[in-house]
Amino acid sequence: MSSSQEFFQTVMEKHRPNLQQYEDIYRHLHSSPELSGQEEQTAALAASHLTKLGYKVHAHIGGHGVAGVLHNGPGPTILLRADMDALPVEEKTNLSYASKKVTTDKDGVKKPLMHACGHDFHTTSLMAAAQVLYSVRENWSGTLICLFQPSEEYLNGAKAMIDDGLYNKIPKPDLVLAQHVLRMREGTVSIRSGPLLTAADSFDVRVFGRGGHGSAPHTCIDPIIIGSSIVTRLQGIVSREVAPGQLAVVTVGSIQAGHTANIIPDYLDLKINIRTYNPSIRDIVIKAITRIIETECKASGATEKPSIKCVVSSPATINDDQTVKTLRSSFGSYFQDRLVETEPATASEDFSLLATAVGAPYVMWTYGGMDGKTWDEAVETNTVNQLPGNHSPFFAPVIQPTLQTGVDAMTVGALTFLGQKQRTNKL
């Protein structure tokens, strides 16, 4: 056993707190989710916890963002990030602690809420890891930042914190680390170099027509016909304009027009989302979307040019190679055969902005929460894709060992890069 491996194991065995208290925190967070931009109570809980531990806490950054700073002598500055927000999804897990919460969104619409993406695990794991790292502070040197980010689901929380002067309030990190629970076997951890998550761009589109009576379509310009043609044409971008082997996803997630059967409406609204890794492919897809929408409108005699607004734009998550190599060694020694390989995902994140804003490398790894027996049966029957994953109303990672895995991974990840100081002292 190497000295580092022995150190990590000793830290976790002797200083991992009784996780019952954190299981209770997790259940509380799961049953009390908060929508993006509304994370007031979750942020207050995280801030209070860090303050009690002895971190210097900065709150209300970019909304409800929280950053706890622990200066512990000379050495690198490592930032650990967790996201806090939930989704407008009605929970269908039938868990005893399932969310029954309903909230009003920014548009005044009442929506049910659920932690359908595991951010409650991320928040709880970082809270517990903050305690472990504080407990063993005599064995490392440097500066530790525990950051709780709002509004990840809208892909604007990291930018909001940066724009609100995050790095005028806290030290600039030398390295940024994060983790995400996924549809993987419980207790497993995966880390990979290079592309992990796609860039995401979302567009709100309005197509203009000329409304009128449904019995006299010849006097109208029907935006529903135009919109239908656009949706169909958009499906050819990936298959005909993106080179085979390059990844791109184009999704029309919403199409809205009219209110009654016998009236042709004046306009139609589309919501379009694209996912890409390669910036040049992203450019090709965006130009193709714009060309198709404008051309279809022109060909149909639309009364005016369509409105095409980019409402979300978040970069791809590209893990730093050297950092991954170092972490793979630490995780391999600690998790051993629970360190597994996974493929890149077509989901997206905004946490990388926390690093690129100051020119720091970053890495996100993933860990599993799926019940082992359920997972093994699905693997055997080739039905893994049918298991509820992130954003499903049935997404329900088992509390343990998922929580412990998240705590251990975040702690080992931080200790891998914090300066070494009397590593066996008072352990």
Side-chain angles (χ1 to χ4, degrees):
M1 181 184 296
S2 68
S3 59
S4 293
Q5 180 182 1
E6 183 178 5
F7 173 69
F8 294 145
Q9 290 183 346
T10 302
V11 164
M12 299 318 303
E13 288 171 2
K14 293 189 175 183
H15 292 274
R16 185 193 302 115
N18 182 345
L19 291 182
Q20 181 61 54
Q21 61 179 310
Y22 289 102
E23 290 178 18
D24 292 341
I25 289 172
Y26 167 74
R27 291 188 184 92
H28 167 73
L29 291 176
H30 189 86
S31 63
S32 306
E34 294 177 296
L35 195 64
S36 302
Q38 300 179 5
E39 308 92 340
E40 182 178 0
Q41 297 303 315
T42 305
L45 180 65
S48 174
H49 177 74
L50 292 174
T51 299
K52 290 176 182 177
L53 287 175
Y55 288 74
K56 183 179 179 180
V57 175
H58 304 266
H60 306 293
I61 310 172
H64 295 296
V66 173
V69 181
L70 180 59
H71 294 288
N72 193 36
T77 297
I78 308 299
L79 188 153
L80 308 179
R81 175 272 204 175
D83 38 14
M84 300 183 291
D85 51 332
L87 287 160
V89 172
E90 182 179 1
E91 182 159 358
K92 298 180 181 179
T93 63
N94 292 322
L95 293 168
S96 61
Y97 50 90
S99 169
K100 297 178 175 62
K101 189 172 179 180
V102 176
T103 193
T104 302
D105 69 10
K106 58 184 176 61
D107 298 318
V109 179
K110 288 189 176 296
K111 292 182 177 179
L113 285 180
M114 177 191 175
H115 267 297
C117 201
H119 296 187
D120 43 359
F121 269 112
H122 305 166
T123 297
T124 309
S125 296
L126 183 53
M127 290 173 65
Q131 179 176 343
V132 178
L133 291 163
Y134 187 86
S135 298
V136 297
R137 63 193 181 281
E138 292 190 24
N139 292 272
W140 60 265
S141 62
T143 297
L144 176 66
I145 301 168
C146 295
L147 185 145
F148 295 83
Q149 180 199 313
S151 203
E152 185 279 328
E153 295 294 355
Y154 287 170
L155 297 177
N156 60 13
K159 186 176 186 300
M161 293 187 75
I162 295 165
D163 290 347
D164 196 27
L166 173 66
Y167 292 122
N168 295 325
K169 298 175 174 70
I170 68 172
K172 295 178 180 178
D174 298 305
L175 177 66
V176 178
L177 302 175
Q179 60 183 6
H180 208 300
V181 64
L182 293 180
R183 180 175 57 191
M184 295 164 46
R185 195 184 198 281
E186 60 182 12
T188 59
V189 175
S190 177
I191 188 167
R192 61 179 298 115
S193 294
L196 176 71
L197 301 171
T198 57
D201 295 276
S202 292
F203 297 86
D204 284 353
V205 176
R206 174 159 288 185
V207 171
F208 299 95
R210 184 169 63 238
H213 203 293
S215 67
H218 59 289
T219 66
C220 307
I221 297 173
D222 191 342
I224 294 178
I225 297 296
I226 302 172
S228 299
S229 297
I230 289 171
V231 172
T232 302
R233 284 292 308 278
L234 291 178
Q235 307 313 306
I237 295 174
V238 174
S239 65
R240 290 297 178 268
E241 300 193 42
V242 174
Q246 293 285 351
L247 184 140
V249 179
V250 177
T251 299
V252 179
S254 175
I255 180 168
Q256 301 284 331
H259 301 285
T260 189
N262 65 342
I263 300 174
I264 292 174
D266 283 327
Y267 63 87
L268 173 142
D269 290 331
L270 296 167
K271 293 184 182 297
I272 302 171
N273 179 260
I274 70 169
R275 307 290 172 127
T276 55
Y277 282 123
N278 190 316
S280 65
I281 299 300
R282 174 182 178 273
D283 187 55
I284 289 171
V285 173
I286 291 175
K287 286 180 178 178
I289 287 173
T290 302
R291 185 193 73 240
I292 288 169
I293 293 171
E294 291 180 347
T295 303
E296 287 291 340
C297 289
K298 185 177 181 180
S300 299
T303 56
E304 59 183 284
K305 290 187 64 174
S307 169
I308 305 172
K309 296 179 181 178
C310 182
V311 293
V312 171
S313 185
S314 186
T317 302
I318 311 293
N319 282 340
D320 180 69
D321 290 343
Q322 187 55 54
T323 305
V324 168
K325 289 177 183 177
T326 305
L327 275 172
R328 186 175 284 123
S329 176
S330 296
F331 284 173
S333 66
Y334 184 79
F335 292 106
Q336 299 184 26
D337 61 355
R338 291 189 290 142
L339 183 64
V340 299
E341 293 291 330
T342 58
E343 293 299 315
T346 49
S348 301
E349 263 274 4
D350 66 343
F351 108 96
S352 64
L353 294 173
L354 297 169
T356 57
V358 293
Y362 65 86
V363 165
M364 172 179 279
W365 61 83
T366 59
Y367 63 108
M370 183 62 62
D371 172 74
K373 181 179 179 182
T374 302
W375 177 264
D376 292 342
E377 290 176 352
V379 170
E380 185 175 345
T381 57
N382 197 30
T383 57
V384 167
N385 286 339
Q386 297 178 28
L387 297 175
N390 303 69
H391 292 217
S392 164
F394 299 99
F395 186 65
V398 294
I399 295 180
Q400 293 293 9
T402 309
L403 180 58
Q404 180 174 317
T405 303
V407 175
D408 290 6
M410 193 60 92
T411 304
V412 170
L415 289 173
T416 297
F417 298 100
L418 289 165
Q420 298 185 20
K421 180 178 69 172
Q422 304 174 15
R423 281 214 148 174
T424 59
N425 185 40
K426 296 185 179 180
L427 280 178

